Amino acid sequence: MATYKNKSVGAHVHAGKVIAPGATFDAKPTPNLEKLVKAEILQLASAGSAAAASGGDGEDKAALVTRAKELGVPNVGGNWGIEKLKDAIAEAEKASGGYDSNGAT
């Protein structure tokens, strides 16, 4: 059994329970949960696979995904890497005339 933490900005459903952002739940490690850990949607909080818990460079990936969605980047998701997200955001901001959602350049 392992304890997982929902790192995303949205709620997830696991085993019929809604897991709010920041909430934890206990589950047996499965391939599906391991994929969510690798996508940085869930964080392995204790036990389970140490390899799945590795990674992350301090960037707030959820914020980058949210920003990319605000800019209308197609097919953006948590499975994108930090650099790909930054590049897509830069291209979308450039295409929109360099203005962010607050009207600043």
Side-chain angles (χ1 to χ4, degrees), residues 27-55:
K28 185 174 160 184
T30 63
N32 193 36
L33 287 176
E34 295 300 320
K35 287 179 187 176
L36 293 175
V37 169
K38 288 178 183 172
E40 297 184 18
I41 293 169
L42 298 177
Q43 175 184 12
L44 189 59
S46 69
S49 169
S54 66

Side-chain angles (χ1 to χ4, degrees), residues 9-104:
V9 294
H12 289 281
V13 177
H14 176 71
K17 297 179 190 174
V18 176
I19 311 301
T24 61
F25 63 99
D26 292 327
K28 185 174 160 184
T30 63
N32 193 36
L33 287 176
E34 295 300 320
K35 287 179 187 176
L36 293 175
V37 169
K38 288 178 183 172
E40 297 184 18
I41 293 169
L42 298 177
Q43 175 184 12
L44 189 59
S46 69
S49 169
S54 66
D57 59 2
E59 293 284 349
D60 188 357
K61 189 173 185 176
L64 292 172
V65 170
T66 300
R67 178 68 180 137
K69 287 180 179 181
E70 287 173 357
L71 292 167
V73 175
N75 302 319
V76 69
N79 59 333
W80 286 27
I82 297 289
E83 291 305 314
K84 184 174 180 179
L85 285 165
K86 286 181 178 180
D87 291 345
I89 289 168
E91 286 297 316
E93 287 176 341
K94 183 178 173 183
S96 69
Y99 292 94
D100 66 16
S101 61
N102 296 323

